[in-house]
Amino acid sequence: MLFLGARCRCLESTLRSTHILATKTPWRTEGFNSRPYTQNQFKHGHSRESSRNLWIACSTSLLLLTGAGTLAYYNYKPFRHALLAGIRCSRVAEAAILGVIDYKFTFLKSYASEHEEFQAYSECHTRSATRLLKALLANGGIFIKLGQHMASVIVLPKEWTSTMRPLQDQCEPTPYQAVNAMFQSDMGKSIDDLFVDFDPKPVGVASLAQVHVAVLRETGEKVAVKLQHPHLAEFADIDMEMVEVSLGWIKYWFPEFELTWLAEEMRINLPKEMDFVHEAFNASKTTTEFQNVRTSLYIPKVMFAKKRILVMEYIQGGRVDDLEYLAEANIDRNKVALELSRIFNRMVFINGWFHADPHPGNLLIRPAVVPSKSPYNFEIVLLDHGQYFDIDDDLRINYSKFWLSLMAPGSPSVQADRRRYAELVGNIGPDLYPVFEAAMTGRAALEGTWDDEQSDDEATFQRASGMMSALPQSEEEMDAIRTAVVTREGLLISVFDVLRKVPRRVLMVLKLNDLTRSLDHALATTHSNIRIFLVTAKFCLQSVWRNDQERLIGAMRNRGLLSFSLLLEYFQCWWKYEKSLTLVVLTETFMDSQAYAYKMRDWMHGLRRQGFRGAHKAAAGLEI
């Protein structure tokens, strides 16, 4: 309609110009034919005015369309959602499709040497991960959560996990005015009505929420106020649709690069993480689970919770991997690493209920306060209880037995058990077993893991027959893990197959394993990097023994306490548990003695260079 109006105005102007020219007396000059000049003047004048009118009409139309679009964007949600969905989806889809094409071309090329091949593959991993990282950062919100999840999946190439890892710390805060408006909407009161000294600058910003420090007006107690980013509620559904559509496109065009499980995982668990009432319930349940356990774990008290607002006890402490903080508080980093392993292994193997995201940003450490249940001079404070998973008893026991088979010395029967439990736990057949074992243990492979291609004598490092006999991880073994994806044909596709087949609960446990190993590494511990596996072994033994007890005692109730066969089986199970536990404890004692000797060596080195201050710093793992 605007365009037709402009055309009508242009025609009207032309007719008016024609009338004026027709009524005026033509200008004549002696010996000069003025008629052609008059026609030329008419044509040029008409052209200039028509162009000017057309330009005005187009500018007006553009302004009107822009204004209408702006009004529709801010006042009509379906229009805004459709526009943003297209933009956000196109970012992720472009990055994903370009990455898959990049992989296709990179894998099809021929290379002069294995080193050149490895370099090309590594660069392809980095390029693809960087493309996706930029898209996720541009979209923010749920897409940041997607990248954080990818960063914690150990079976992905290290270029992917290392590129995505900064997403833990690259979240933009929501302005104070926006969170205050959300608080007023949800609580019916403003922030100033409930708190004094509310710090508008958040002390922590995550993908779903940010945390402010304040003082409760009613009690004067210092609290941490967790506020969800207001835009998440509006765009959560549309963002999830876009994630599913983008990954669905990749699966359709490139079936071997199947990542739809990520969307399924987020679809199920993201609504729970966005409900802070659910988080408060998780925190309460975890407190109950550890109520009768002597532990360094501390869960902050929750004052009150709404769906998008959580107010809890404020805890002053340092990051659990902050070596300088640990040194100042005289906290032994080795003990911290082992206590972290005990806490999370108890959750998995005993409680069957575990926190699935214990990265350093969700963990604080502080000196033990009075009263405290901690057996050490510190407490580990676990934050952000939005992401918990449970494990049914059958899966928990089979998972325990799988770990025990990995600990046992290798033999044909033990290797058969490993593959059998891998099938029961992870739905993993013999062809994918090596990848699954590497994801479980963080080691390249035990003896007998690979049935072909590379024999043990061709390896550049010594393979152990079981985790209990594994040597400290060497640079050669770490290189083997890093290059495994490119040295074995089709192994990258096997990684995607593992991710697709493994049950989601088991995938979360693998994520937890990787995070605890990463914390042990970040703490620069002086004990062997297989030391935390001994903690795992103790809880696995306890889990299996408790299950045997319940099973046999239940059978005795039915068949009578004097059943000789059941008593014999009970004694055999007990003896197996005690014998294995004693072996683990002796090995722990030996490794802890070694760790103490290494720490004393560092202490003496620091003493010689900088005196007692240098000795303290060196023993704490700090550079001098």
Side-chain angles (χ1 to χ4, degrees):
M1 291 299 291
L2 290 171
F3 180 74
L4 290 174
R7 292 294 300 271
C8 290
R9 285 194 296 273
C10 183
L11 180 59
E12 182 182 352
S13 175
T14 303
L15 293 173
R16 188 181 300 113
S17 299
T18 303
H19 176 72
I20 292 172
L21 288 170
T23 56
K24 283 190 174 182
T25 302
W27 176 52
R28 298 177 184 273
T29 302
E30 187 71 24
F32 184 78
N33 185 3
S34 63
R35 184 175 178 81
Y37 173 77
T38 304
Q39 290 174 342
N40 188 54
Q41 183 184 35
F42 172 79
K43 289 177 182 178
H44 281 281
H46 171 71
S47 176
R48 283 195 298 270
E49 186 156 353
S50 297
S51 298
R52 184 171 63 252
N53 289 337
L54 183 61
W55 183 85
I56 292 172
C58 291
S59 299
T60 304
S61 300
L62 182 61
L63 287 172
L64 289 173
L65 287 172
T66 302
T70 303
L71 287 173
Y73 180 85
Y74 287 105
N75 296 284
Y76 188 55
K77 283 187 179 182
F79 176 79
R80 178 168 68 251
H81 288 176
L83 182 63
L84 291 176
I87 295 171
R88 293 154 83 85
C89 184
S90 63
R91 287 177 184 147
V92 177
E94 179 186 10
I97 292 173
L98 287 177
V100 172
I101 293 172
D102 195 355
Y103 274 115
K104 288 281 188 179
F105 279 104
T106 302
F107 289 174
L108 287 173
K109 288 182 181 178
S110 299
Y111 300 94
S113 66
E114 186 177 292
H115 174 73
E116 184 181 338
E117 182 183 38
F118 168 71
Q119 189 67 27
Y121 282 26
S122 178
E123 290 172 359
C124 180
H125 290 322
T126 303
R127 286 194 304 269
S128 300
T130 303
R131 286 191 202 99
L132 187 58
L133 175 67
K134 290 178 180 178
L136 297 179
L137 284 172
N139 285 350
I142 289 173
F143 291 90
I144 297 287
K145 198 71 181 176
L146 174 66
Q148 290 174 348
H149 191 77
M150 295 178 70
S152 62
V153 179
I154 185 175
V155 293
L156 290 178
K158 73 177 183 67
E159 290 86 356
W160 274 92
T161 55
S162 60
T163 300
M164 294 295 169
R165 196 152 285 155
L167 287 173
Q168 301 285 5
D169 305 311
Q170 292 187 12
C171 300
E172 292 294 325
T174 298
Y176 173 78
Q177 293 80 3
V179 294
N180 189 28
M182 183 268 288
F183 192 95
Q184 178 85 37
S185 172
D186 288 15
M187 296 293 298
K189 299 179 180 179
S190 69
I191 287 176
D192 291 336
D193 291 336
L194 267 70
F195 305 104
V196 292
D197 296 331
F198 185 94
D199 189 349
K201 184 178 180 181
V203 294
V205 182
S207 57
L208 302 183
Q210 59 193 45
V211 178
H212 297 259
V213 178
V215 175
L216 281 173
R217 185 176 294 277
E218 185 176 345
T219 64
E221 187 173 0
K222 196 172 186 180
V223 293
V225 184
K226 184 175 180 179
L227 302 173
Q228 191 175 116
H229 299 305
H231 66 274
L232 286 180
E234 180 178 358
F235 295 110
D237 290 339
I238 195 69
D239 281 353
M240 276 308 312
E241 292 289 344
M242 292 306 99
V243 169
E244 290 176 346
V245 168
S246 300
L247 297 178
W249 285 347
I250 298 171
K251 180 182 178 181
Y252 178 79
W253 291 107
F254 309 99
E256 62 271 35
F257 293 93
E258 210 265 288
L259 287 170
T260 53
W261 59 271
L262 275 172
E264 295 168 4
E265 181 64 36
M266 292 181 66
R267 174 68 75 181
I268 295 171
N269 295 297
L270 195 60
K272 298 177 182 178
E273 290 188 68
M274 292 176 62
D275 185 354
F276 292 166
V277 175
H278 179 74
E279 180 174 344
F281 169 80
N282 289 343
S284 176
K285 181 174 180 179
T286 304
T287 301
T288 303
E289 294 280 0
F290 283 83
Q291 189 170 10
N292 298 318
V293 179
R294 193 180 180 206
T295 177
S296 298
L297 177 65
Y298 184 81
I299 308 294
K301 293 179 293 185
V302 175
M303 310 303 182
F304 62 84
K306 294 283 187 178
K307 186 171 184 178
R308 297 193 292 175
I309 301 167
L310 183 66
V311 179
M312 56 194 146
E313 175 186 7
Y314 176 74
I315 303 294
Q316 184 72 41
R319 276 175 60 113
V320 74
D321 59 347
D322 186 343
L323 295 181
E324 291 188 2
Y325 180 88
L326 297 181
E328 291 174 3
N330 198 30
I331 295 173
D332 188 330
R333 65 189 190 279
N334 285 1
K335 292 178 180 178
V336 173
L338 295 177
E339 189 68 357
L340 284 167
S341 185
R342 291 188 190 102
I343 289 169
F344 294 113
N345 276 290
R346 174 174 288 278
M347 287 183 176
V348 172
F349 295 106
I350 305 301
N351 299 341
W353 165 260
F354 65 96
H355 188 295
D357 197 24
H359 61 78
N362 285 341
L363 291 163
L364 292 179
I365 192 165
R366 67 174 181 177
V369 297
V370 179
S372 174
K373 297 192 301 180
S374 175
Y376 303 110
N377 67 336
F378 60 84
E379 287 183 329
I380 295 171
V381 183
L382 184 57
L383 308 172
D384 193 352
H385 299 270
Q387 194 174 140
Y388 273 79
F389 293 89
D390 56 357
I391 311 177
D392 64 73
D393 289 341
D394 288 341
L395 177 58
R396 181 173 56 84
I397 299 304
N398 286 327
Y399 184 60
S400 300
K401 291 179 178 179
F402 184 31
W403 263 113
L404 293 176
S405 70
L406 292 170
M407 299 285 181
S411 67
S413 62
V414 169
Q415 290 169 8
D417 284 344
R418 292 171 183 172
R419 284 167 168 75
R420 179 164 63 90
Y421 287 120
E423 178 74 30
L424 293 172
V425 169
N427 194 30
I428 296 298
D431 54 331
L432 296 176
Y433 173 78
V435 180
F436 186 61
E437 183 192 283
M440 287 280 296
T441 63
R443 308 299 293 258
L446 300 175
E447 286 181 6
T449 294
W450 294 97
D451 295 327
D452 55 5
E453 294 188 35
Q454 183 179 6
S455 62
D456 291 337
D457 56 357
E458 291 175 333
T460 57
F461 60 93
Q462 183 178 351
R463 299 184 187 275
S465 64
M467 293 303 298
M468 288 281 285
S469 61
L471 295 172
Q473 199 167 37
S474 63
E475 284 297 325
E476 290 80 5
E477 183 176 356
M478 294 176 70
D479 288 338
I481 295 174
R482 287 191 286 262
T483 60
V485 170
V486 298
T487 56
R488 294 182 182 275
E489 184 178 356
L491 195 57
L492 181 63
I493 305 304
S494 297
V495 168
F496 286 104
D497 283 344
V498 167
L499 293 174
R500 178 171 53 85
K501 290 185 176 182
V502 169
R504 300 284 75 82
R505 290 290 189 275
V506 177
L507 194 62
M508 292 300 104
V509 174
L510 294 180
K511 173 183 174 181
L512 178 63
N513 288 344
D514 187 39
L515 288 170
T516 52
R517 282 195 295 266
S518 298
L519 286 169
D520 186 70
H521 177 73
L523 286 164
T525 54
T526 57
H527 54 232
S528 168
N529 55 13
I530 67 169
R531 175 65 178 85
I532 58 174
F533 291 126
L534 298 179
V535 176
T536 301
K538 289 174 74 173
F539 281 98
C540 289
L541 289 169
Q542 187 177 353
S543 176
V544 173
W545 166 233
R546 284 187 174 188
N547 181 69
D548 287 338
Q549 275 186 308
E550 292 176 4
R551 175 177 57 83
L552 292 170
I553 290 175
M556 288 178 186
R557 288 189 182 129
N558 294 330
R559 295 169 54 184
L561 293 175
L562 299 181
S563 174
F564 178 76
S565 60
L566 289 178
L567 287 173
L568 180 61
E569 185 179 358
Y570 187 93
F571 176 78
Q572 288 173 338
C573 291
W574 171 82
W575 177 246
K576 181 180 180 181
Y577 165 70
E578 290 293 339
K579 184 175 65 173
S580 300
L581 183 62
T582 300
L583 176 61
V584 171
V585 170
L586 290 174
T587 308
E588 281 185 326
T589 303
F590 174 73
M591 287 188 175
D592 289 345
S593 299
Q594 279 187 322
Y596 181 77
Y598 292 144
K599 189 179 293 186
M600 289 303 300
R601 179 199 61 189
D602 294 340
W603 190 90
M604 293 298 298
H605 175 70
L607 182 67
R608 287 195 298 269
R609 295 193 62 184
Q610 295 183 7
F612 285 106
R613 179 171 179 79
H616 180 69
K617 290 178 64 179
L622 299 173
E623 294 184 4
I624 57 172

